[in-house]
Structures are given as structure tokens and as C-alpha cells.
């Protein structure tokens, strides 16, 4: 039987506030254990939580950027469960009345097709702490620095149908949250993490099957791989005639498998009830208007503008706006340049492949936009040839030197001087009588041989346009 995967994603995004959601402790990552704590976030008796206004503003911003409706009144609930990293014995979250609902994101399925993925809800909540296990000493330690750090949980509709769509949705959401600057997106530090729900149903059937939930996937690659594995595992289970068990599973990135962690809890297991210490959260029109007014350009808007302003193709604009860092790098590069298309090409090929080969993000690039722009300025003003520009770029990566300085100190300026090039070309023609004869008899492919000889002689510095003219007239 053919099965169709049904996937829904829950994303926890850490909001970029300086302080926690219900106290004024710092949210800074990497502090010594329990340095960022106070009686509120360690759950001492008698304390009262006070809601962080900026966290709400960021949640509204995230909700507007994902086309959600903001609820004018929402509430905080207690989600009760015991775990050593949860000192209060409950997590403050939103359950029955979340801050936002009914949004969507558009993902690109292929070059011509967009698909809307529904967003069921966005709610605000506090993060839990962290356990550090030390098997050598048979001890576990509790670090409460993360306890009370503000999160939004973004819950998608079960609209996703493949690991690839899941990856596209997550990348889009990640990109949006970084564009609007409410989440740093650092997946290694857990600022953006995903739970994936997967079920299968016979192709053509309307009802959903029983799902498994994969917890805490912290890279795009892991999400895609784990979903793929889970689809295969469930297909096998169903083909054996067995039922899929509703459970929570974990992904083992070393063994490339998921394994069962626990039976899936139901909402009623948590005994949600309204937090009596927190009043309902009222968001008025003014607040929403203020957030709207300060909303930066979103990825899709930037995409359209890049296509229009820089005459880029849909694909080029898509690549260059895929992250805010790359989009900013490109815009800074391109402003002083006439040839926008060339700048786009060089950013997408030379620059991006350098980052890929080093495995670093734009922010860590040894070549900054200013220097890259200078290099392309030399190229478009025919001070250097494209071949030389590649060499100069490599040296910029190695030495961090200015492109003009590299060109000067190595004498790499483009040679377009007619007389100078003619002397070189005549020498080459005289040295290769056989090739000249063959060319004249119609073997015009040999033109590139002559071009190559000139470039060799001039170390790639000859202006190819001038060389072409002189070669043509002399051959
Ligand atoms: P919980 O909070 O218990 O995980 P929810 O009902 O809020 O449960 O669903 C969480 C996620 O699971 C949502 O993203 C939703 O789209 C997805 N989901 C729900 N049912 C299914 C299903 N049968 N198959 C795949 N995903 C599902
Ligand atoms: Mg869940
Ligand atoms: Zn605190």
C-alpha cells in the first residue's frame, strides 16, 4: 500500500530580550551555572512573576510576520509536571488562550510552486532549566540559567507532506525570525529548536493516522533526516500489519535512528489551569500598530524588491534573500556598483562557495562587503580581468588585504594598451605557424588556443575584448 506522510512542526524560538520573561535576570548564554537566577526563576515560595513587556512585543512581531491574528486578550496557564530542571513544578505557558492564531507561511516547493503551510497558533511561555549529567561521578547537576527565558512556540498545521517541505518551512521561519530580529536563531545554543510530529495515512484517505513526536531536533539536517527515518520506520510497522504507537521519540544523530523515549502525554495529563499570579494579557490596537510601524522588510518583500531594483531572476533573489546577513552583504556590495547582475553572480558563486568550503556564516567571512565591492568595482571598470579578480579574491581571503593593494603590489592591472598587446600577439602568431594555418583553413575552434596563449603570456591580465579584436584582425 502507498502511504502519505503527514507532518506538523512545533518550533520553540527563544526571544532576544536581555532579561527573562517574568523576572529581571539576564538571559545571556554561557554564564557559569546558576549565575542568572533569582527567587522568581528558581521558584521560591511567595514570589510573584511580572511579565516582560518587550517579550510580548517580540511575540506580536513574530505573529504579524507569520500572518497570524493577534488575540486582544490572552492568558497564562500553568502546565504542571515534575522534572528536576523545573523548580516550580509547573511551566508558565499559554494554553486555552494563546497570543496569536490562524497564520501561515509560504514555502517554495519548486521553482514555480508556492505552498501555504498553516500556523495553528503562537503562544508565549518560559523555558525550563538544564540538567548536566556527569556519568563518571554518577551525578546530575541542575543549571537554572535558562529557566524563565522567554520563548514563543509556533505550532504548524499538519500541512507538511515531506522532509523537504519540513526543511523549507523551518528555514523560512528561521529566516523570518532573524529578519525581524526577535530571535538570534542560534540552533547550537538551542535558541531555535523543533519537535516534529509524523504520521502516515493510506494515499487518498482523509483521516490522519497515529503520530509519533520527535523531540528537540536542533539542526535543519537532523529534522529532515529524522523525518525521513520515521517515515520509513512507520511504513515498515504498518506494512507488518502492526499499529503505530503514539509516543515521543528521540533522534540519535550518530546511529541515524529514532528511538522511543516515552509514551506521548496528553494535554489533560498536565492539569493546565490559569495562573492566578498573572492577569490576562491585553494587547490593544495601538500596541499592534506600533509594532507594525516598526516592522522591517520581510524576506518575501525583499525578494520582490531585489528582483525589481537589481533586475535579478526569481532564483537569484531567492538565494540572496535567504538570510538577512547575506541580503545585507549583497546590498552593501552592490550600492556603489553599476553592474548589479555581475555583483549578484559573484556573491552567489565566488563568495558563497568560499563560505561553504570554510563552513562559516556570512558574519565570519574574512572578506567584508566593502572590500568585496571594491574588488568588483575594479572588475567593472576594467582595471582587472575576471580571471585576475578570482586570484585577488583568493588572496583577500588569505591575507585580508585590500583588493587595490593586492592589484598594485602584484602588478595585476588589466592590460588594454593596444600597442603593447599587439606586440605580444604578433609574437605568438609567429611562434605558432601550424595553428595559424589550421585556423585559416577553418578550424576556428583554435581561437581559444590563441586567447589562452595571450593570457598565459600576460598572466591573465590582458583585456579579452581588445585581444579578441587584435587576434581577429591578425589571423
Ligand atoms: P501536542 O501539543 O500534544 O504535541 P497538538 O495537537 O498541539 O499536540 O499538535 C502538535 C503538532 O502535531 C501540530 O503541529 C500538529 O499539526 C501536529 N499533528 C497533529 N496531529 C497530527 C497527525 N496525526 N500527524 C502528524 N502531525 C500531527
Ligand atoms: Mg507537542
Ligand atoms: Zn530570575
Amino acid at each position: 500500500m502507498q502511504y502519505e506522510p503527514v507532518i506538523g512542526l512545533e518550533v520553540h524560538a527563544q526571544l532576544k530580550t536581555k532579561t527573562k520573561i517574568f523576572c529581571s535576570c539576564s538571559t545571556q548564554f554561557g554564564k557559569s551555572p546558576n549565575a542568572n537566577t533569582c527567587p522568581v526563576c528558581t521558584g521560591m515560595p511567595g514570589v510573584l512573576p511580572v511579565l516582560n513587556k518587550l517579550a510580548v512585543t517580540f511575540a506580536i512581531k513574530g505573529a504579524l510576520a507569520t500572518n497570524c491574528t493577534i488575540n486582544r486578550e490572552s492568558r497564562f496557564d500553568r502546565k504542571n509536571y515534575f522534572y528536576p530542571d523545573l523548580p516550580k513544578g509547573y511551566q508558565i505557558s499559554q494554553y486555552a488562550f494563546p497570543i496569536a492564531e490562524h497564520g501561515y507561511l509560504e514555502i517554495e516547493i519548486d521553482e514555480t510552486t508556492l505552498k501555504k503551510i498553516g500556523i495553528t497558533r503562537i503562544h508565549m511561555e518560559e523555558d525550563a532549566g538544564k540538567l548536566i549529567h556527569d556519568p563518571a561521578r554518577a551525578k546530575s547537576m541542575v543549571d537554572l540559567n535558562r529557566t524563565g527565558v522567554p520563548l514563543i512556540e509556533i505550532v504548524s498545521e499538519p500541512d507538511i507532506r515531506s522532509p523537504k517541505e519540513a526543511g523549507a518551512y523551518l528555514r523560512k521561519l528561521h529566516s523570518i525570525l532573524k529578519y525581524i530580529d526577535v530571535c538570534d536563531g542560534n540552533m547550537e545554543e538551542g535558541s531555535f529548536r523543533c519537535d516534529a510530529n509524523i504520521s502516515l495515512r493510506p494515499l487518498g484517505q482523509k483521516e490522519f493516522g497515529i503520530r509519533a513526536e520527535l523531540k528537540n531536533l536542533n539542526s535543519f539536517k537532523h529534522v529532515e533526516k529524522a523525518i525521513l527515518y520515521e517515515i520509513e520506520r512507520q511504513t515498515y510497522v504498518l506494512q507488518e500489519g502492526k499499529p503505530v504507537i503514539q509516543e515521543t521519540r528521540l533522534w540519535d544523530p550518530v546511529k541515524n535512528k529514532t528511538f522511543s523515549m516515552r509514551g506521548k502525554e496528553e494535554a489533560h495529563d498536565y492539569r493546565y489551569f490559569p495562573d492566578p499570579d498573572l492577569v490576562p494579557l491585553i494587547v490593544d490596537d495601538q500596541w499592534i500598530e506600533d509594532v507594525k510601524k516598526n516592522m522591517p522588510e520581510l524576506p518575501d518583500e525583499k525578494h520582490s524588491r531585489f528582483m525589481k531594483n537589481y533586475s535579478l531572476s526569481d532564483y537569484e533573489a531567492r538565494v540572496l534573500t535567504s538570510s538577512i546577513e547575506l541580503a545585507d552583504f549583497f546590498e552593501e556590495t552592490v550600492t556603489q556598483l553599476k553592474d548589479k547582475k555581475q555583483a549578484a553572480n559573484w556573491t552567489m558563486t565566488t563568495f558563497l562557495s568560499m563560505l561553504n568550503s570554510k563552513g562559516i556564516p556570512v558574519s565570519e567571512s574574512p572578506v567584508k562587503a566593502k572590500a568585496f565591492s571594491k574588488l568588483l568595482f575594479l572588475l567593472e571598470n576594467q582595471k582587472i580581468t575576471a580571471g585576475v579578480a578570482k586570484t585577488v579574491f583568493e588572496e583577500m581571503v588569505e591575507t585580508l588585504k585590500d583588493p587595490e593593494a593586492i592589484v598594485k603590489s602584484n602588478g595585476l592591472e588589466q592590460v588594454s594598451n593596444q600597442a603593447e598587446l599587439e606586440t605580444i600577439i604578433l609574437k605568438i602568431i609567429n611562434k605558432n605557424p601550424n595553428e595559424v594555418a589550421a585556423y585559416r583553413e577553418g578550424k576556428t575552434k583554435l581561437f581559444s588556443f590563441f586567447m589562452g596563449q595571450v593570457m598565459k603570456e600576460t598572466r591573465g591580465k590582458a583585456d579579452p575584448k581588445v585581444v579578441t579584436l587584435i587576434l581577429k584582425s591578425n589571423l
Side-chain angles (χ1 to χ4, degrees), residues 284-291 293:
D284 59 15
D285 291 347
Q286 188 58 47
W287 199 347
I288 297 174
E289 278 316 304
D290 287 348
V291 175
K293 248 190 274 148

Side-chain angles (χ1 to χ4, degrees), residues 5-10 79 95 118 120-121 123 153-160 195-200 207-213 215 246 264-267 270 272:
V6 171
I7 301 159
L9 301 177
E10 297 162 273
K79 180 181 183 180
Y95 180 63
T120 317
R121 53 190 267 142
H123 61 255
E153 178 172 340
I154 302 148
V155 182
S156 90
E157 289 288 307
D159 288 345
I160 298 163
D195 302 341
N197 296 269
I198 303 130
S199 64
L200 297 184
E207 299 79 46
F208 294 146
I210 307 282
R211 70 183 146 128
E213 182 181 34
K215 275 273 176 210
Q246 173 144 340
K264 170 94 180 100
E265 69 290 341
E266 302 282 346
Y270 288 118
Y272 280 100

